[in-house]
Amino acid sequence: SSGINAEWPLRPGENYQFERERLDDVFHYGKFMYDVGNYAIASTNLDFYRNLAPADSKYYSSAQWGKLASEILQQNWEDAMEELERLKDNISSALHLSYSEILIQRAWLIHWGLFVYFNHPQGRDSIIDVFLHQKPYLNAIQTMCPHILRYITTAVVISKRRGTVIKELIKVLQQETYKDPITEFVESLYVNFDFDEAQAKLKECTTVIENDFFIVGCLEEFTENARLIISEIFCRIHQRIEIDMLADNLNMEPAEAEKWVVNMIRLAHLDAKIDSKNGYVVMGGTQVPVYQKLIDKTKDLHLKANSCCQKIDKRLTLGI
């Protein structure tokens, strides 16, 4: 009814003298395209509206969320990641919203973000960077949606950065009453050092992951890394380990467990030797090099620096 061409012959920089009502038609047309499942055209129209309409427009926020949803439903993960970042910035600078409204907006972004983070190539690291390291989002999770701890824990377990962030995760988990097999698996190892409990929880984790839409694709990777964590911690607190006993803990045959231990020693940089003749793993003294300690401590400094800059910018904006 508005006569808008879906091919968009409009050119940036031209003055089309849109009236506000006409611009609202662009939004309604985009929403209609979204409702009928034409997400590509919906994305184009909503983006056009968002770029022309003032930030206080009636449909501005809806256009932002609609644009994100359109990219997710098209599985355009790069564009969806950009939309998440844009939404994060807009939520942080939304001075007209109350604290409770901002909290709700962040909770929505956290849930929509799961679609993106578990599909984008760098998404798992983004879960750690945003949900665990950025205080406003961690506060939102602790206040409104503690079940998101399942996804943070999964991301940490399968992350190559696990060694540098596990302490922060444990600290958060111990503050919360929310529990599920995935969070309990981590606590059983890093807090209780209970390997029998960890093995039982790992079996439960398999069932949970198989039935969770967001992390079902991580099952093999999670299981592999969980076994690596079990064996690594077990080796670190024992001087001599029977390969048969380790095989029982990992639900493996002894020959398979021996190969596993060789790989684990290499990946975890453990000072250990395998006595295949007697069926033992003999541990030596493990000394972390000074340069590695320095790298571990400074690895996330840029994230903390960015967080400080954002807080300073916000205070300057508010004139505090």
Side-chain angles (χ1 to χ4, degrees), residues 222-239:
F222 182 92
T223 304
E224 185 80 5
N225 280 277
R227 283 177 169 176
L228 181 63
I229 294 170
I230 291 172
S231 54
E232 180 182 334
I233 294 177
F234 195 82
C235 288
R236 286 187 185 278
I237 63 176
H238 293 85
Q239 286 298 311

Side-chain angles (χ1 to χ4, degrees), residues 150-151 204-216:
R150 167 186 294 185
Y151 304 106
E204 293 179 30
C205 288
T206 300
T207 303
V208 169
I209 294 173
E210 285 177 339
N211 291 279
D212 190 302
F213 173 83
F214 294 108
I215 54 178
V216 64

